[in-house]
Amino acid sequence: MNLHGLVARLADSYPFAKLAGKIREKRVDVLAPASASPAIAATIADLRSGAGLGKVNLIVVSSGREAEDLVAALQSLEPTAEVLEFASWETLPHERLSPSPETVGRRLRVIHRLHELSVLAEAKVSPDHPVFVVATIRAVLQPVPGNLRDFPPLLLEQGKDYFLPELTLKLVELAYKRVDMVTKRGEFAVRGGILDIFATTAEHAVRLEFFGDELEEIREFSVADQRSIASEEPIKSTVLYAAREVIITPLVASRAREMQHEFMNISTMLAKIAEGIPVDGMEALAPVLVEQLVPFTSFLPTDAGVVLLQPERSAARAHDLIATNQEFLHAAWEAATNGAEAPIDIAAGGFMQVGEFMSHLVGNQVFTVSPFASQDDTMVDLKLHEIPHFKVLDANPVEWITDQLGQNQVVVLATEG
């Protein structure tokens, strides 16, 4: 459903004129109901683009459900836009559990795309369409390895030559697991001149057939019965993103080797990492293994805008996340005082405070959209009304719409189907 006309109508309306007048300011606070957030975010992007301020916008929400709804809404409001969802881990940063390869692949796809856009921005080249990056507060508060931009995805193209033994070593480096039969994302299998791979971001696994070193054919197959899936057009290439966010570089392997005998409780994990073997839960050791952890916002182009939807809810969510993470760390140290071995200090990999996150946005434009008015008069009131709950209102929808029209309000009705 194409609702771009609504964005254009809002941008030209009188209540949005004050917002348009402040569109070049570093910080703008907007007063509007929560249900209007997607339309407002799209309109802010439209106004920024019209003012030549960049077409990349990071939109931060409080929960995964809100992120999914916002992605769907933005695709309707801006059909030509590129909408990227930066997912959060299913685990806490310090748990000895790895996020799923699918989650890691989706995150890396966003990071590498933002790196491409940053390179374009440095060359004064702007994309010809708006770009929205939707992320939860949980996702943006967790630091990520700063060297991820140095490991682009692996592109395999039909007709090109690849040395299969070397290719399998590259897949192991990207933390793909070698198995006898591929059944889930992040796995690969080799049988003669056939290589099966289930990419972390793919809908289906692919079967690569080689003639000598030449990649002769790529076709999708079902992991349920291992049969090929018919496609209308031949597949010319496939892109493989890593299955782990900690890439075992020589530096990472060296640090693991140095700590192997110092921390006996995780010596087995460190020994595997030292040998270049990815191991489940290795992300928990990122603060002491990788060279640098950086905020996700460091991957944004310098001219990107940041929109915080319902910041009060996000702040409350962040408080709960940080408290839970601290409890996890305290429990580890309390166990150490009772005779267990002291854990590695990995506090640097935990969630940032909201204030610290905001300090990293000094170079970006920041917009907040909140249903709560501030004490001062700097907030831009867009005069938008929340739709009432008619079950508790002594009126029916038709009467309410008629009343709104009588007050010269613009009413937009949209339904799918």
Side-chain angles (χ1 to χ4, degrees), residues 180-208:
D180 294 329
M181 185 172 68
V182 170
T183 58
K184 55 187 178 182
R185 291 180 178 87
E187 294 181 342
F188 76 96
V190 182
R191 298 186 307 280
I194 296 177
L195 174 62
D196 291 347
I197 309 174
F198 202 160
T200 55
T201 56
E203 184 176 354
H204 298 288
V206 292
R207 181 160 290 148
L208 285 61

mmCIF file of all heavy atoms in Angstrom, residues 180-208:
data_model
loop_
_atom_site.group_PDB
_atom_site.id
_atom_site.type_symbol
_atom_site.label_atom_id
_atom_site.label_comp_id
_atom_site.label_asym_id
_atom_site.label_seq_id
_atom_site.Cartn_x
_atom_site.Cartn_y
_atom_site.Cartn_z
ATOM 1 N N ASP A 180 27.761 -32.766 7.713
ATOM 2 C CA ASP A 180 27.547 -33.758 6.660
ATOM 3 C C ASP A 180 26.381 -33.371 5.756
ATOM 4 O O ASP A 180 26.400 -33.645 4.542
ATOM 5 C CB ASP A 180 27.286 -35.135 7.282
ATOM 6 C CG ASP A 180 28.509 -35.676 8.015
ATOM 7 O OD1 ASP A 180 29.629 -35.350 7.580
ATOM 8 O OD2 ASP A 180 28.329 -36.388 9.007
ATOM 9 N N MET A 181 25.339 -32.739 6.359
ATOM 10 C CA MET A 181 24.168 -32.335 5.580
ATOM 11 C C MET A 181 23.646 -31.016 6.138
ATOM 12 O O MET A 181 23.402 -30.892 7.336
ATOM 13 C CB MET A 181 23.072 -33.406 5.648
ATOM 14 C CG MET A 181 21.879 -33.097 4.746
ATOM 15 S SD MET A 181 20.702 -34.479 4.664
ATOM 16 C CE MET A 181 20.054 -34.471 6.336
ATOM 17 N N VAL A 182 23.497 -30.032 5.277
ATOM 18 C CA VAL A 182 23.068 -28.695 5.695
ATOM 19 C C VAL A 182 21.597 -28.722 6.096
ATOM 20 O O VAL A 182 20.739 -29.174 5.336
ATOM 21 C CB VAL A 182 23.295 -27.681 4.551
ATOM 22 C CG1 VAL A 182 22.641 -26.354 4.873
ATOM 23 C CG2 VAL A 182 24.786 -27.500 4.298
ATOM 24 N N THR A 183 21.312 -28.208 7.304
ATOM 25 C CA THR A 183 19.924 -28.149 7.778
ATOM 26 C C THR A 183 19.524 -26.776 8.298
ATOM 27 O O THR A 183 18.336 -26.500 8.441
ATOM 28 C CB THR A 183 19.689 -29.174 8.899
ATOM 29 O OG1 THR A 183 20.594 -28.915 9.978
ATOM 30 C CG2 THR A 183 19.895 -30.602 8.388
ATOM 31 N N LYS A 184 20.489 -25.916 8.608
ATOM 32 C CA LYS A 184 20.136 -24.601 9.137
ATOM 33 C C LYS A 184 21.173 -23.561 8.730
ATOM 34 O O LYS A 184 22.255 -23.895 8.232
ATOM 35 C CB LYS A 184 19.996 -24.646 10.660
ATOM 36 C CG LYS A 184 21.212 -25.189 11.395
ATOM 37 C CD LYS A 184 20.914 -25.345 12.875
ATOM 38 C CE LYS A 184 22.110 -25.925 13.621
ATOM 39 N NZ LYS A 184 21.821 -26.120 15.058
ATOM 40 N N ARG A 185 20.841 -22.298 8.949
ATOM 41 C CA ARG A 185 21.720 -21.204 8.542
ATOM 42 C C ARG A 185 23.061 -21.278 9.263
ATOM 43 O O ARG A 185 23.141 -21.665 10.418
ATOM 44 C CB ARG A 185 21.053 -19.854 8.822
ATOM 45 C CG ARG A 185 19.860 -19.574 7.912
ATOM 46 C CD ARG A 185 19.216 -18.229 8.226
ATOM 47 N NE ARG A 185 18.108 -17.979 7.307
ATOM 48 C CZ ARG A 185 16.866 -18.397 7.509
ATOM 49 N NH1 ARG A 185 16.577 -19.096 8.609
ATOM 50 N NH2 ARG A 185 15.909 -18.139 6.630
ATOM 51 N N GLY A 186 24.103 -20.882 8.537
ATOM 52 C CA GLY A 186 25.435 -20.897 9.102
ATOM 53 C C GLY A 186 26.146 -22.228 8.949
ATOM 54 O O GLY A 186 27.186 -22.448 9.582
ATOM 55 N N GLU A 187 25.631 -23.127 8.106
ATOM 56 C CA GLU A 187 26.255 -24.431 7.888
ATOM 57 C C GLU A 187 26.668 -24.598 6.428
ATOM 58 O O GLU A 187 26.086 -23.979 5.528
ATOM 59 C CB GLU A 187 25.294 -25.566 8.268
ATOM 60 C CG GLU A 187 24.964 -25.637 9.758
ATOM 61 C CD GLU A 187 24.042 -26.791 10.090
ATOM 62 O OE1 GLU A 187 23.396 -27.323 9.155
ATOM 63 O OE2 GLU A 187 23.956 -27.162 11.265
ATOM 64 N N PHE A 188 27.675 -25.471 6.196
ATOM 65 C CA PHE A 188 28.039 -25.832 4.829
ATOM 66 C C PHE A 188 28.495 -27.286 4.805
ATOM 67 O O PHE A 188 28.906 -27.853 5.827
ATOM 68 C CB PHE A 188 29.129 -24.898 4.275
ATOM 69 C CG PHE A 188 30.513 -25.161 4.802
ATOM 70 C CD1 PHE A 188 31.418 -25.942 4.088
ATOM 71 C CD2 PHE A 188 30.933 -24.614 6.017
ATOM 72 C CE1 PHE A 188 32.700 -26.175 4.563
ATOM 73 C CE2 PHE A 188 32.213 -24.840 6.502
ATOM 74 C CZ PHE A 188 33.095 -25.633 5.772
ATOM 75 N N ALA A 189 28.391 -27.898 3.624
ATOM 76 C CA ALA A 189 28.801 -29.290 3.436
ATOM 77 C C ALA A 189 29.471 -29.419 2.079
ATOM 78 O O ALA A 189 29.091 -28.732 1.117
ATOM 79 C CB ALA A 189 27.590 -30.223 3.527
ATOM 80 N N VAL A 190 30.479 -30.295 2.004
ATOM 81 C CA VAL A 190 31.222 -30.513 0.758
ATOM 82 C C VAL A 190 31.145 -31.985 0.389
ATOM 83 O O VAL A 190 31.409 -32.861 1.216
ATOM 84 C CB VAL A 190 32.697 -30.091 0.910
ATOM 85 C CG1 VAL A 190 33.436 -30.288 -0.418
ATOM 86 C CG2 VAL A 190 32.805 -28.642 1.368
ATOM 87 N N ARG A 191 30.764 -32.233 -0.870
ATOM 88 C CA ARG A 191 30.739 -33.598 -1.410
ATOM 89 C C ARG A 191 31.317 -33.552 -2.819
ATOM 90 O O ARG A 191 30.641 -33.121 -3.760
ATOM 91 C CB ARG A 191 29.309 -34.158 -1.453
ATOM 92 C CG ARG A 191 28.637 -34.269 -0.090
ATOM 93 C CD ARG A 191 27.282 -34.960 -0.200
ATOM 94 N NE ARG A 191 26.430 -34.320 -1.205
ATOM 95 C CZ ARG A 191 25.734 -33.204 -0.989
ATOM 96 N NH1 ARG A 191 25.794 -32.611 0.191
ATOM 97 N NH2 ARG A 191 24.973 -32.706 -1.941
ATOM 98 N N GLY A 192 32.580 -33.969 -2.944
ATOM 99 C CA GLY A 192 33.218 -33.918 -4.259
ATOM 100 C C GLY A 192 33.304 -32.498 -4.757
ATOM 101 O O GLY A 192 33.866 -31.620 -4.111
ATOM 102 N N GLY A 193 32.709 -32.242 -5.926
ATOM 103 C CA GLY A 193 32.709 -30.903 -6.499
ATOM 104 C C GLY A 193 31.439 -30.126 -6.206
ATOM 105 O O GLY A 193 31.121 -29.166 -6.911
ATOM 106 N N ILE A 194 30.705 -30.530 -5.167
ATOM 107 C CA ILE A 194 29.456 -29.851 -4.800
ATOM 108 C C ILE A 194 29.616 -29.230 -3.412
ATOM 109 O O ILE A 194 30.064 -29.888 -2.475
ATOM 110 C CB ILE A 194 28.262 -30.829 -4.811
ATOM 111 C CG1 ILE A 194 28.031 -31.361 -6.227
ATOM 112 C CG2 ILE A 194 27.009 -30.140 -4.292
ATOM 113 C CD1 ILE A 194 26.923 -32.386 -6.317
ATOM 114 N N LEU A 195 29.248 -27.951 -3.296
ATOM 115 C CA LEU A 195 29.314 -27.234 -2.032
ATOM 116 C C LEU A 195 27.915 -26.727 -1.679
ATOM 117 O O LEU A 195 27.337 -25.935 -2.427
ATOM 118 C CB LEU A 195 30.294 -26.057 -2.143
ATOM 119 C CG LEU A 195 30.379 -25.100 -0.952
ATOM 120 C CD1 LEU A 195 30.863 -25.827 0.304
ATOM 121 C CD2 LEU A 195 31.310 -23.925 -1.271
ATOM 122 N N ASP A 196 27.369 -27.214 -0.562
ATOM 123 C CA ASP A 196 26.076 -26.749 -0.061
ATOM 124 C C ASP A 196 26.321 -25.704 1.022
ATOM 125 O O ASP A 196 27.112 -25.934 1.943
ATOM 126 C CB ASP A 196 25.255 -27.895 0.532
ATOM 127 C CG ASP A 196 24.769 -28.879 -0.527
ATOM 128 O OD1 ASP A 196 24.857 -28.531 -1.723
ATOM 129 O OD2 ASP A 196 24.314 -29.972 -0.152
ATOM 130 N N ILE A 197 25.630 -24.572 0.932
ATOM 131 C CA ILE A 197 25.776 -23.496 1.924
ATOM 132 C C ILE A 197 24.396 -22.938 2.254
ATOM 133 O O ILE A 197 23.579 -22.697 1.357
ATOM 134 C CB ILE A 197 26.650 -22.335 1.408
ATOM 135 C CG1 ILE A 197 27.983 -22.832 0.848
ATOM 136 C CG2 ILE A 197 26.895 -21.318 2.519
ATOM 137 C CD1 ILE A 197 28.803 -21.728 0.207
ATOM 138 N N PHE A 198 24.152 -22.711 3.547
ATOM 139 C CA PHE A 198 22.947 -21.989 3.965
ATOM 140 C C PHE A 198 23.435 -20.662 4.539
ATOM 141 O O PHE A 198 23.871 -20.582 5.683
ATOM 142 C CB PHE A 198 22.163 -22.776 5.007
ATOM 143 C CG PHE A 198 20.702 -22.384 5.096
ATOM 144 C CD1 PHE A 198 19.768 -23.237 5.662
ATOM 145 C CD2 PHE A 198 20.255 -21.163 4.607
ATOM 146 C CE1 PHE A 198 18.417 -22.900 5.730
ATOM 147 C CE2 PHE A 198 18.916 -20.803 4.661
ATOM 148 C CZ PHE A 198 17.997 -21.680 5.232
ATOM 149 N N ALA A 199 23.378 -19.605 3.732
ATOM 150 C CA ALA A 199 23.861 -18.286 4.137
ATOM 151 C C ALA A 199 23.029 -17.743 5.299
ATOM 152 O O ALA A 199 21.841 -18.042 5.434
ATOM 153 C CB ALA A 199 23.810 -17.316 2.959
ATOM 154 N N THR A 200 23.642 -16.917 6.123
ATOM 155 C CA THR A 200 22.976 -16.399 7.314
ATOM 156 C C THR A 200 21.810 -15.472 6.985
ATOM 157 O O THR A 200 20.915 -15.297 7.811
ATOM 158 C CB THR A 200 23.982 -15.637 8.191
ATOM 159 O OG1 THR A 200 24.608 -14.621 7.401
ATOM 160 C CG2 THR A 200 25.044 -16.571 8.728
ATOM 161 N N THR A 201 21.795 -14.893 5.788
ATOM 162 C CA THR A 201 20.732 -13.950 5.430
ATOM 163 C C THR A 201 19.813 -14.482 4.339
ATOM 164 O O THR A 201 18.938 -13.757 3.865
ATOM 165 C CB THR A 201 21.343 -12.616 4.948
ATOM 166 O OG1 THR A 201 22.237 -12.883 3.856
ATOM 167 C CG2 THR A 201 22.111 -11.937 6.060
ATOM 168 N N ALA A 202 20.006 -15.741 3.933
ATOM 169 C CA ALA A 202 19.247 -16.288 2.801
ATOM 170 C C ALA A 202 17.960 -16.961 3.263
ATOM 171 O O ALA A 202 17.866 -17.467 4.387
ATOM 172 C CB ALA A 202 20.104 -17.283 2.030
ATOM 173 N N GLU A 203 16.979 -16.973 2.376
ATOM 174 C CA GLU A 203 15.723 -17.660 2.666
ATOM 175 C C GLU A 203 15.876 -19.167 2.467
ATOM 176 O O GLU A 203 15.263 -19.970 3.170
ATOM 177 C CB GLU A 203 14.614 -17.125 1.763
ATOM 178 C CG GLU A 203 13.246 -17.710 2.057
ATOM 179 C CD GLU A 203 12.146 -17.098 1.214
ATOM 180 O OE1 GLU A 203 12.422 -16.136 0.465
ATOM 181 O OE2 GLU A 203 11.001 -17.575 1.293
ATOM 182 N N HIS A 204 16.688 -19.544 1.478
ATOM 183 C CA HIS A 204 16.920 -20.962 1.198
ATOM 184 C C HIS A 204 18.423 -21.238 1.098
ATOM 185 O O HIS A 204 19.212 -20.333 0.800
ATOM 186 C CB HIS A 204 16.249 -21.379 -0.120
ATOM 187 C CG HIS A 204 14.761 -21.225 -0.123
ATOM 188 N ND1 HIS A 204 13.931 -22.044 0.590
ATOM 189 C CD2 HIS A 204 13.961 -20.332 -0.763
ATOM 190 C CE1 HIS A 204 12.672 -21.680 0.395
ATOM 191 N NE2 HIS A 204 12.667 -20.640 -0.419
ATOM 192 N N ALA A 205 18.801 -22.490 1.332
ATOM 193 C CA ALA A 205 20.187 -22.915 1.122
ATOM 194 C C ALA A 205 20.461 -22.988 -0.376
ATOM 195 O O ALA A 205 19.531 -23.107 -1.192
ATOM 196 C CB ALA A 205 20.421 -24.266 1.784
ATOM 197 N N VAL A 206 21.744 -22.917 -0.754
ATOM 198 C CA VAL A 206 22.116 -23.004 -2.172
ATOM 199 C C VAL A 206 23.127 -24.129 -2.365
ATOM 200 O O VAL A 206 23.910 -24.454 -1.470
ATOM 201 C CB VAL A 206 22.706 -21.673 -2.698
ATOM 202 C CG1 VAL A 206 21.657 -20.594 -2.740
ATOM 203 C CG2 VAL A 206 23.906 -21.235 -1.868
ATOM 204 N N ARG A 207 23.062 -24.712 -3.553
ATOM 205 C CA ARG A 207 23.987 -25.780 -3.935
ATOM 206 C C ARG A 207 24.883 -25.252 -5.056
ATOM 207 O O ARG A 207 24.383 -24.830 -6.112
ATOM 208 C CB ARG A 207 23.209 -27.015 -4.363
ATOM 209 C CG ARG A 207 24.048 -28.214 -4.760
ATOM 210 C CD ARG A 207 23.208 -29.478 -4.691
ATOM 211 N NE ARG A 207 22.898 -29.823 -3.299
ATOM 212 C CZ ARG A 207 21.774 -30.431 -2.915
ATOM 213 N NH1 ARG A 207 20.849 -30.758 -3.804
ATOM 214 N NH2 ARG A 207 21.567 -30.719 -1.635
ATOM 215 N N LEU A 208 26.177 -25.263 -4.833
ATOM 216 C CA LEU A 208 27.143 -24.762 -5.803
ATOM 217 C C LEU A 208 27.843 -25.954 -6.450
ATOM 218 O O LEU A 208 28.468 -26.758 -5.750
ATOM 219 C CB LEU A 208 28.175 -23.847 -5.137
ATOM 220 C CG LEU A 208 27.760 -22.422 -4.746
ATOM 221 C CD1 LEU A 208 26.626 -22.411 -3.729
ATOM 222 C CD2 LEU A 208 28.944 -21.645 -4.197
#
